């Protein structure tokens, strides 16, 4: 109601499918003859595929470069980067496979309790604490399904659970000229 113009994204799609459809976003951007897309916040704002699609369509993407999102938007890749530069991290697994026995073995290497996390996305989606092996396989299956529905990717992993943890986040804004806030 506050926009000067409005366009439908994802006709004949469900709301999540339409929301995550990069092809539809690019179609609407071309139809509206935009020269830039600011994705706001949410899961497409963290999509390297959207940034690449914008570049291919010669539309400026107002946000991080695709390689930056790949390195930092995926929690496993971000952890690997942190380890490579000597930052201490909590013990964690690689992405969970589909083999139940391998999942059990990976969880045992971390030790219970563990936190199950979606590799992509955030907002608590696909996350759940797991106290024992009894809850492991059902939780992994549910988290993969939730992550796929919310982020379009079902990759999940386990990390050692920190009880009574506090979440601290720092926002940094930079531009292509080297200015940082």
């Amino acid at each position: 109601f506050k926009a000067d113009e409005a366009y439908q994204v994802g006709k004949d799609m469900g709301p999540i499918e339409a929301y995550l459809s990069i092809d539809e976003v690019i179609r609407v951007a071309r139809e509206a003859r935009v020269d830039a897309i600011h994705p706001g916040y949410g899961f497409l704002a963290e999509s390297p595929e959207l940034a690449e699609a914008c570049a291919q369509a010669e539309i400026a993407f107002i946000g991080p470069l695709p390689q930056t999102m790949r390195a930092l938007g995926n929690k496993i890749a971000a952890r690997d980067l942190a380890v490579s530069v000597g930052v201490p991290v909590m013990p964690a697994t690689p992405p969970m496979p589909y083999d139940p026995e391998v999942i059990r073995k990976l969880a045992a290497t971390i030790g219970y309790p563990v936190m199950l996390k979606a590799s992509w996305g955030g907002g608590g989606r696909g996350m759940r604490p797991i106290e024992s092996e009894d809850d492991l396989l059902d939780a992994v299956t549910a988290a993969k399904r939730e992550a796929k529905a919310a982020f379009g990717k079902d990759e999940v992993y386990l990390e050692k659970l920190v009880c009574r943890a506090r979440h601290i986040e720092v926002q940094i804004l930079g531009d292509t000229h080297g200015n940082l806030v």
Side-chain angles (χ1 to χ4, degrees):
F1 294 108
K2 294 183 179 183
D4 293 333
E5 298 177 29
Y7 297 84
Q8 182 178 13
V9 176
K11 183 177 182 183
D12 299 325
M13 294 180 175
I16 294 174
E17 183 185 6
Y19 172 73
L20 294 174
S21 177
I22 292 168
D23 290 340
E24 278 294 289
V25 170
I26 298 299
R27 179 192 63 77
V28 168
R30 284 185 170 141
E31 181 182 322
R33 297 181 177 187
V34 304
D35 56 8
I37 291 178
H38 183 282
Y41 64 92
F43 306 119
L44 278 186
E46 300 173 7
S47 168
E49 294 83 7
L50 176 59
E52 288 168 339
C54 287
Q56 289 173 353
E58 298 182 353
I59 298 169
F61 179 79
I62 312 299
L65 298 172
Q67 59 266 33
T68 303
M69 285 189 270
R70 282 205 171 83
L72 300 175
N74 177 297
K75 293 177 187 74
I76 292 173
R79 287 178 52 79
D80 291 346
L81 177 60
V83 168
S84 76
V85 296
V87 175
V89 297
M90 294 299 295
T93 67
M96 290 287 99
Y98 291 95
D99 183 328
E101 284 309 309
V102 176
I103 291 171
R104 285 186 185 101
K105 287 178 185 174
L106 287 168
T109 64
I110 301 300
Y112 292 93
V114 293
M115 178 62 85
L116 179 60
K117 294 183 173 184
S119 301
W120 291 93
R125 288 287 189 73
M127 286 181 64
R128 48 191 46 85
I130 302 172
E131 298 292 332
S132 71
E133 186 176 309
D134 296 341
D135 304 322
L136 179 65
L137 296 180
D138 287 343
V140 169
T141 300
K144 282 180 173 277
R145 187 175 51 248
E146 186 177 334
K148 179 74 173 176
F151 315 123
K153 299 174 184 176
D154 73 350
E155 186 177 87
V156 297
Y157 71 104
L158 297 171
E159 187 173 88
K160 184 68 179 166
L161 176 65
V162 178
C163 297
R164 295 178 301 282
R166 292 183 185 214
H167 178 97
I168 300 171
E169 189 169 311
V170 177
Q171 299 295 321
I172 300 172
L173 178 64
D175 66 17
T176 58
H177 307 290
N179 300 305
L180 295 173
V181 177

